[in-house]
Amino acid sequence: MKRLFVLLFSFLTISAFAEAPVEGGKFNAGEMITHHIADDYNWHFADGATVYLPVILIDNGTVNTFSSHHFYDENHETVPYNGYVIEHGHIYRANAEGEPVADQSGLYDLSITKNVASMFISVLLLFGIFFTIAGRYKKNPGKAPSGIQSFFEPIIIFVRDDIAKANIGPKYERYMPFLLTVFFFIWFNNLLGLMPGGANLTGNIAVTLVLASLTLLITVFSGNKNYWKHIFATPGVPGWLAPIMIPVELIGILTKPFSLMVRLFANITAGHIIILSLFSLIFIFQSVAVGPLSVAFATFMNFLELFVALLQAYIFTLLSAMYFGGAVEEHHHEEEHAHGEAHH
């Protein structure tokens, strides 16, 4: 029932977004979809329900702060303010006519955008939940979990046993904080993005780039001598092939986190686009026959996205653990140990 309410509310929210273009002219599905999946300087939930976020600009050492409300008129069209203008989702210095000037050097945008605000909300949510769980473990050591603790404990054990232990081995404990953090961060933000008016945080390639870069850095700095030997002196490969194999192996180090970045970004963004496209059909055709079909397919996709939200968190965490496991694996030590036992 709760999920059906969320779906109904999602439909009403999207209808509110689409209402203005229909009244003012031809409905533009592409513009509506882009508006929903892109980052912005305000958080628009429905007509009359907009949160204007703080703008923070550092312009040649001078800090300028003001509400993003000044950038929008009564029709929610962007207008210049205080020598700045929003163009294509970014703030630029503007001339007297409100057009971006050529020289933008020394201008740094540290504004709290919709994605940043959503990330803060998810972080506070994660802190609240897991500090509560940790407190209950300290308060009731050895006792059966209850409440929220009983819900999350099997998931934490699953990440520990079936992802970390299975793919990293005996050294798994040092990677558990990162693996648990990235799993729940991605999962929570995927779910928050499906809520009415939710931000498309994990569908932002800058966010997935940071997550993938963290996996890359941990993998590289965890690499033991056998890991690097495999890169620069691949076993079983003739020496004359080294000039070819070394660049290939080095490129392989970068392509792994690149695939993590693109996979998460593409799957989450694609899900949002499909759902919004299905809803858009209602306003494009304006037909009683199309409306129920669009809602039915969009409802199915919304349920499917609940599974995808968990699946993408699992895949990102699993592949990260596999990369860590490959970096710390002791191939030669195991081979020598087995050879010694056979000799005795």
Side-chain angles (χ1 to χ4, degrees):
M1 289 298 294
K2 290 182 178 179
R3 188 58 196 165
L4 290 175
F5 174 78
V6 169
L7 290 171
L8 178 60
F9 190 29
S10 299
F11 172 70
L12 294 175
T13 302
I14 294 173
S15 299
F17 276 126
E19 184 177 355
V22 172
E23 291 179 352
K26 188 177 180 181
F27 174 69
N28 190 326
E31 183 179 337
M32 186 273 288
I33 293 171
T34 302
H35 172 77
H36 278 74
I37 65 173
D39 200 5
D40 207 344
Y41 291 92
N42 64 78
W43 202 333
H44 192 69
F45 296 97
D47 287 347
T50 301
V51 176
Y52 293 97
L53 301 167
V55 174
I56 306 172
L57 301 175
I58 300 178
D59 195 348
N60 290 321
T62 303
V63 179
N64 298 315
T65 60
F66 51 89
S67 172
S68 62
H69 174 75
H70 297 290
F71 281 126
Y72 302 93
D73 60 17
E74 60 275 6
N75 298 319
H76 205 69
E77 299 291 334
T78 57
V79 294
Y81 175 75
N82 200 28
Y84 303 102
V85 67
I86 295 179
E87 286 284 344
H88 306 295
H90 298 281
I91 295 178
Y92 300 97
R93 291 195 194 97
N95 55 25
E97 289 75 30
E99 299 175 349
V101 298
D103 183 17
Q104 299 291 333
S105 59
L107 178 63
Y108 301 96
D109 187 359
L110 304 180
S111 303
I112 307 299
T113 62
K114 180 170 69 173
N115 280 345
V116 175
S118 178
M119 182 174 62
F120 286 160
I121 292 172
S122 67
V123 169
L124 290 174
L125 188 61
L126 285 167
F127 276 140
I129 290 174
F130 290 103
F131 275 128
T132 300
I133 294 174
R136 291 189 179 181
Y137 276 118
K138 293 179 181 178
K139 185 178 180 180
N140 303 309
K143 293 185 179 180
S146 60
I148 192 172
Q149 182 185 0
S150 63
F151 176 80
F152 282 100
E153 183 176 283
I155 302 174
I156 295 170
I157 293 174
F158 172 78
V159 174
R160 183 193 68 185
D161 294 345
D162 295 320
I163 296 180
K165 275 186 180 181
N167 294 283
I168 300 176
K171 299 181 180 180
Y172 77 93
E173 288 187 357
R174 63 189 294 193
Y175 301 99
M176 280 297 294
F178 175 78
L179 293 175
L180 285 172
T181 300
V182 76
F183 176 84
F184 285 107
F185 179 82
I186 293 174
W187 185 29
F188 277 35
N189 279 289
N190 287 349
L191 293 177
L192 289 173
L194 294 174
M195 297 297 290
N200 184 32
L201 182 67
T202 43
N204 186 313
I205 199 166
V207 175
T208 60
L209 170 62
V210 172
L211 295 175
S213 297
L214 290 174
T215 295
L216 172 63
L217 290 173
I218 294 173
T219 303
V220 169
F221 285 105
S222 297
N224 56 25
K225 62 179 181 180
N226 293 313
Y227 175 77
W228 292 110
K229 184 178 180 180
H230 182 83
I231 300 297
F232 292 101
T234 307
V237 176
W240 61 272
L241 278 177
I244 300 175
M245 291 303 299
I246 291 175
V248 170
E249 292 289 343
L250 290 174
I251 292 171
I253 294 176
L254 298 176
T255 55
K256 290 176 180 178
F258 179 80
S259 67
L260 285 179
M261 174 188 71
V262 174
R263 181 184 291 107
L264 180 58
F265 157 75
N267 279 282
I268 299 303
T269 300
H272 285 242
I273 292 175
I274 291 172
I275 293 172
L276 292 169
S277 298
L278 290 170
F279 276 122
S280 297
L281 294 177
I282 299 171
F283 307 101
I284 293 173
F285 291 99
Q286 299 184 25
S287 168
V288 176
V290 173
L293 287 175
S294 295
V295 172
F297 278 111
T299 301
F300 169 76
M301 283 302 303
N302 217 321
F303 277 107
L304 183 62
E305 282 300 298
L306 288 175
F307 171 71
V308 172
L310 178 60
L311 179 65
Q312 290 304 315
Y314 167 74
I315 291 175
F316 194 102
T317 309
L318 175 66
L319 292 178
S320 296
M322 291 176 63
Y323 301 156
F324 300 158
V328 301
E329 190 175 3
E330 298 286 351
H331 297 283
H332 294 284
H333 176 72
E334 293 174 358
E335 291 173 1
E336 290 173 3
H337 181 68
H339 177 74
E341 287 182 348
H343 178 73
H344 288 296

Coordinates of all heavy atoms in Angstrom, one line a residue, residues 279-315:
F279 N 5.3 8.2 -18.7 CA 4.4 9.2 -18.2 C 4.1 10.3 -19.2 O 3.0 10.8 -19.3 CB 4.9 9.8 -16.9 CG 4.5 9.0 -15.7 CD1 5.5 8.6 -14.8 CD2 3.2 8.7 -15.3 CE1 5.3 7.9 -13.7 CE2 2.9 8.0 -14.2 CZ 4.0 7.5 -13.4
S280 N 5.1 10.6 -20.0 CA 5.0 11.7 -21.0 C 4.0 11.3 -22.1 O 3.4 12.2 -22.7 CB 6.4 12.0 -21.6 OG 7.3 12.5 -20.6
L281 N 3.9 10.0 -22.3 CA 2.9 9.6 -23.4 C 1.5 10.1 -23.1 O 0.7 10.3 -24.0 CB 3.0 8.1 -23.5 CG 4.3 7.4 -24.0 CD1 4.2 5.9 -24.0 CD2 4.6 7.9 -25.4
I282 N 1.2 10.2 -21.8 CA -0.2 10.7 -21.4 C -0.4 12.0 -22.0 O -1.5 12.3 -22.5 CB -0.3 10.7 -19.9 CG1 -0.1 9.2 -19.3 CG2 -1.7 11.2 -19.5 CD1 0.0 9.2 -17.8
F283 N 0.6 12.9 -21.9 CA 0.4 14.3 -22.3 C 0.7 14.5 -23.8 O 0.2 15.5 -24.3 CB 1.3 15.2 -21.4 CG 1.1 15.0 -20.0 CD1 2.0 14.2 -19.2 CD2 0.0 15.6 -19.3 CE1 1.8 14.0 -17.9 CE2 -0.1 15.4 -18.0 CZ 0.7 14.6 -17.2
I284 N 1.4 13.6 -24.4 CA 1.6 13.7 -25.8 C 0.4 13.3 -26.6 O 0.0 14.0 -27.5 CB 2.9 12.8 -26.2 CG1 4.1 13.4 -25.6 CG2 3.0 12.7 -27.7 CD1 5.4 12.5 -25.8
F285 N -0.2 12.1 -26.2 CA -1.4 11.6 -26.9 C -2.7 12.2 -26.4 O -3.7 12.2 -27.1 CB -1.4 10.1 -26.9 CG -0.3 9.5 -27.7 CD1 0.9 9.0 -27.1 CD2 -0.4 9.3 -29.1 CE1 1.9 8.4 -27.8 CE2 0.6 8.8 -29.8 CZ 1.8 8.3 -29.2
Q286 N -2.7 12.5 -25.1 CA -3.9 13.0 -24.4 C -5.1 12.1 -24.8 O -6.2 12.6 -25.2 CB -4.2 14.4 -24.8 CG -3.1 15.4 -24.4 CD -3.4 16.8 -24.7 OE1 -4.5 17.2 -24.8 NE2 -2.3 17.6 -24.9
S287 N -4.9 10.8 -24.6 CA -5.9 9.8 -24.9 C -6.3 8.9 -23.7 O -5.4 8.6 -22.9 CB -5.4 8.9 -26.1 OG -6.2 7.8 -26.2
V288 N -7.6 8.6 -23.6 CA -8.0 7.8 -22.5 C -7.5 6.4 -22.7 O -7.2 5.6 -21.7 CB -9.6 7.7 -22.5 CG1 -10.0 6.7 -21.4 CG2 -10.1 9.1 -22.2
A289 N -7.2 5.9 -23.9 CA -6.7 4.6 -24.2 C -5.2 4.5 -23.8 O -4.8 3.5 -23.3 CB -6.9 4.2 -25.6
V290 N -4.5 5.6 -24.0 CA -3.0 5.6 -23.7 C -2.7 5.8 -22.3 O -1.8 5.2 -21.7 CB -2.3 6.7 -24.6 CG1 -0.8 6.8 -24.2 CG2 -2.4 6.4 -26.1
G291 N -3.5 6.6 -21.6 CA -3.3 6.9 -20.2 C -3.1 5.7 -19.3 O -2.1 5.5 -18.6
P292 N -4.1 4.8 -19.2 CA -4.0 3.6 -18.3 C -2.8 2.7 -18.7 O -2.1 2.1 -17.8 CB -5.3 2.8 -18.6 CG -6.3 3.9 -19.0 CD -5.5 4.8 -19.8
L293 N -2.5 2.6 -20.0 CA -1.4 1.7 -20.4 C -0.1 2.4 -19.9 O 0.8 1.7 -19.5 CB -1.4 1.6 -21.9 CG -2.4 0.6 -22.5 CD1 -2.4 0.7 -24.0 CD2 -2.2 -0.8 -22.0
S294 N 0.0 3.7 -20.1 CA 1.2 4.4 -19.6 C 1.5 4.2 -18.2 O 2.6 3.9 -17.7 CB 1.2 5.9 -20.0 OG 1.1 6.0 -21.4
V295 N 0.4 4.4 -17.4 CA 0.5 4.3 -15.9 C 0.9 2.8 -15.6 O 1.7 2.6 -14.7 CB -0.8 4.7 -15.3 CG1 -0.8 4.4 -13.8 CG2 -1.1 6.2 -15.5
A296 N 0.3 1.8 -16.2 CA 0.5 0.4 -15.9 C 2.0 0.1 -16.2 O 2.7 -0.5 -15.4 CB -0.4 -0.5 -16.8
F297 N 2.5 0.5 -17.4 CA 3.9 0.2 -17.7 C 4.9 1.0 -16.8 O 5.9 0.5 -16.4 CB 4.2 0.6 -19.2 CG 3.8 -0.5 -20.1 CD1 2.7 -0.3 -21.0 CD2 4.5 -1.7 -20.2 CE1 2.3 -1.3 -21.9 CE2 4.1 -2.7 -21.0 CZ 3.0 -2.5 -21.9
A298 N 4.5 2.2 -16.5 CA 5.4 3.0 -15.6 C 5.4 2.4 -14.2 O 6.4 2.4 -13.5 CB 4.9 4.5 -15.5
T299 N 4.2 1.9 -13.7 CA 4.2 1.3 -12.4 C 5.1 0.0 -12.4 O 5.8 -0.2 -11.5 CB 2.7 0.9 -12.1 OG1 1.9 2.0 -12.1 CG2 2.7 0.2 -10.7
F300 N 5.0 -0.8 -13.5 CA 5.9 -2.0 -13.6 C 7.3 -1.6 -13.6 O 8.2 -2.2 -12.9 CB 5.5 -2.7 -14.9 CG 6.5 -3.8 -15.2 CD1 6.5 -5.0 -14.5 CD2 7.5 -3.6 -16.2 CE1 7.4 -6.0 -14.8 CE2 8.4 -4.6 -16.5 CZ 8.4 -5.8 -15.8
M301 N 7.7 -0.5 -14.3 CA 9.1 -0.1 -14.4 C 9.5 0.5 -13.0 O 10.7 0.3 -12.6 CB 9.2 1.0 -15.4 CG 9.3 0.5 -16.8 SD 10.6 -0.7 -17.1 CE 12.0 0.3 -16.6
N302 N 8.6 1.1 -12.3 CA 9.0 1.6 -11.0 C 9.3 0.5 -10.0 O 10.2 0.6 -9.2 CB 7.8 2.5 -10.4 CG 8.3 3.7 -9.6 OD1 9.3 3.6 -8.9 ND2 7.6 4.8 -9.8
F303 N 8.5 -0.6 -10.0 CA 8.8 -1.8 -9.2 C 10.1 -2.4 -9.7 O 10.9 -2.9 -8.8 CB 7.7 -2.8 -9.3 CG 6.5 -2.5 -8.4 CD1 5.3 -2.0 -8.9 CD2 6.7 -2.7 -7.0 CE1 4.3 -1.7 -8.0 CE2 5.6 -2.4 -6.2 CZ 4.4 -2.0 -6.7
L304 N 10.3 -2.4 -11.0 CA 11.6 -3.0 -11.5 C 12.8 -2.2 -11.0 O 13.9 -2.7 -10.7 CB 11.5 -3.1 -13.0 CG 12.8 -3.7 -13.7 CD1 12.9 -5.2 -13.3 CD2 12.6 -3.6 -15.2
E305 N 12.6 -0.8 -11.0 CA 13.7 0.0 -10.5 C 14.0 -0.2 -9.1 O 15.2 0.1 -8.7 CB 13.3 1.5 -10.8 CG 13.5 1.9 -12.2 CD 14.9 1.8 -12.7 OE1 15.8 2.5 -12.2 OE2 15.1 1.0 -13.7
L306 N 13.1 -0.6 -8.3 CA 13.4 -1.0 -6.9 C 14.4 -2.1 -6.8 O 15.3 -2.1 -6.0 CB 12.1 -1.4 -6.1 CG 11.1 -0.2 -5.8 CD1 9.8 -0.8 -5.2 CD2 11.7 0.8 -4.9
F307 N 14.2 -3.1 -7.7 CA 15.2 -4.2 -7.8 C 16.5 -3.7 -8.3 O 17.6 -4.1 -7.8 CB 14.6 -5.3 -8.6 CG 15.6 -6.4 -8.9 CD1 16.0 -7.3 -8.0 CD2 16.1 -6.5 -10.2 CE1 17.0 -8.3 -8.3 CE2 17.0 -7.5 -10.5 CZ 17.4 -8.4 -9.5
V308 N 16.5 -2.9 -9.4 CA 17.7 -2.3 -10.0 C 18.5 -1.5 -9.0 O 19.7 -1.5 -9.0 CB 17.4 -1.5 -11.2 CG1 18.6 -0.8 -11.8 CG2 16.8 -2.4 -12.3
A309 N 17.8 -0.8 -8.1 CA 18.5 0.1 -7.1 C 19.3 -0.8 -6.2 O 20.5 -0.4 -5.9 CB 17.4 0.8 -6.3
L310 N 18.8 -1.9 -5.8 CA 19.6 -2.9 -5.0 C 20.7 -3.6 -5.8 O 21.8 -3.8 -5.3 CB 18.7 -3.9 -4.3 CG 19.3 -4.9 -3.4 CD1 20.1 -4.3 -2.3 CD2 18.3 -5.9 -2.9
L311 N 20.3 -4.0 -7.0 CA 21.2 -4.7 -7.9 C 22.5 -3.9 -8.2 O 23.6 -4.4 -8.1 CB 20.5 -5.2 -9.1 CG 21.3 -5.9 -10.2 CD1 21.8 -7.3 -9.6 CD2 20.6 -6.1 -11.5
Q312 N 22.3 -2.6 -8.5 CA 23.4 -1.8 -8.9 C 24.4 -1.6 -7.7 O 25.6 -1.5 -7.8 CB 23.0 -0.5 -9.5 CG 22.3 -0.6 -10.8 CD 23.2 -1.3 -11.8 OE1 24.4 -1.0 -11.9 NE2 22.7 -2.2 -12.6
A313 N 23.8 -1.4 -6.5 CA 24.6 -1.3 -5.3 C 25.4 -2.6 -5.1 O 26.6 -2.5 -4.7 CB 23.7 -1.0 -4.1
Y314 N 24.8 -3.7 -5.3 CA 25.4 -5.0 -5.1 C 26.6 -5.2 -6.2 O 27.7 -5.6 -5.8 CB 24.4 -6.1 -5.3 CG 25.0 -7.5 -5.4 CD1 25.6 -8.2 -4.4 CD2 25.0 -8.2 -6.7 CE1 26.2 -9.4 -4.5 CE2 25.6 -9.4 -6.8 CZ 26.2 -10.1 -5.8 OH 26.7 -11.3 -5.9
I315 N 26.3 -4.9 -7.4 CA 27.3 -5.1 -8.5 C 28.5 -4.2 -8.2 O 29.6 -4.6 -8.4 CB 26.7 -4.8 -9.9 CG1 25.7 -5.9 -10.2 CG2 27.7 -4.7 -10.9 CD1 24.9 -5.6 -11.5

